[in-house]
Amino acid sequence: MRAVIQRVSHASVTIEGTVKSAIGGGFLILLGVCSDDTSDDVDWLAKKIAALRVFDDEQGVMNRSIIDVGGEVLVVSQFTLYASYKKGNRPSWFRAATHDISVPLYEEFCSKLSHFIGKPVGTGEFGAMMQVELLNDGPVTICMDTKNKE
């Protein structure tokens, strides 16, 4: 499972001209699910992101988590995080999970992260063409992969 976590001042996802979800300050998370991901990957990643200390404390040091600052989260499915670009110039996504695997794991991730941060998590719509708008705060952007836990 791969995640691109961006600290944002605000973010939204729009589908067919209608805003599906919008948040103020917090995280926009682009989430990719791999064909061999499991609930263990979901649990590890949700806990890691909930505890990630990238928000400023009183001294301006990144020492606070999303929980500490009461921030919001928007999670958008992003199978293209598993692009393979080794052959030619047209990427392939053979490592990205199929819908029957990725949809339940995406939903489980959103549910667990919501539980860990103690508030609802905004979402996009799995498989839809989405327009994602954000104002990256910092900028702070962190990439995580559950296959690189150590």
Side-chain angles (χ1 to χ4, degrees):
M1 193 165 269
R2 288 183 179 160
V4 175
I5 304 112
Q6 297 179 67
R7 188 178 76 181
V8 297
S9 296
H10 66 268
S12 64
V13 61
T14 301
I15 303 166
E16 296 181 4
T18 302
V19 175
K20 166 86 165 72
S21 295
I23 64 166
F27 286 147
L28 168 67
I29 301 170
L30 306 176
L31 183 71
V33 180
C34 183
S35 56
D36 62 353
D37 286 334
T38 66
S39 287
D40 289 341
D41 294 300
V42 169
D43 194 56
W44 181 87
L45 188 60
K47 283 179 183 172
K48 195 74 168 173
I49 291 172
L52 188 62
R53 298 185 326 180
V54 295
F55 294 92
D56 292 348
D57 62 16
E58 298 81 17
Q59 288 76 41
V61 176
M62 287 195 286
N63 201 27
R64 292 190 171 183
S65 71
I66 191 85
I67 299 166
D68 297 333
V69 300
E72 298 178 278
V73 176
L74 174 58
V75 182
V76 176
S77 61
Q78 186 85 44
F79 77 93
T80 59
L81 291 178
Y82 279 99
S84 175
Y85 43 83
K86 291 185 180 186
K87 288 185 176 181
N89 293 317
R90 183 171 182 244
S92 68
W93 292 277
F94 66 92
R95 291 195 55 220
T98 57
H99 281 175
D100 60 317
I101 295 169
S102 54
V103 172
L105 290 175
Y106 169 79
E107 290 173 352
E108 182 182 351
F109 175 82
C110 292
S111 177
K112 281 193 176 179
L113 186 56
S114 176
H115 171 74
F116 291 143
I117 68 170
K119 60 173 59 177
V121 167
T123 63
E125 183 178 312
F126 200 91
M129 178 62 85
M130 297 175 275
Q131 288 73 48
V132 179
E133 186 174 335
L134 69 132
L135 181 59
N136 194 312
D137 181 23
V140 174
T141 302
I142 296 175
C143 300
M144 289 186 184
D145 191 319
T146 59
K147 305 306 184 247
N148 296 324
K149 294 177 188 170
E150 294 156 36

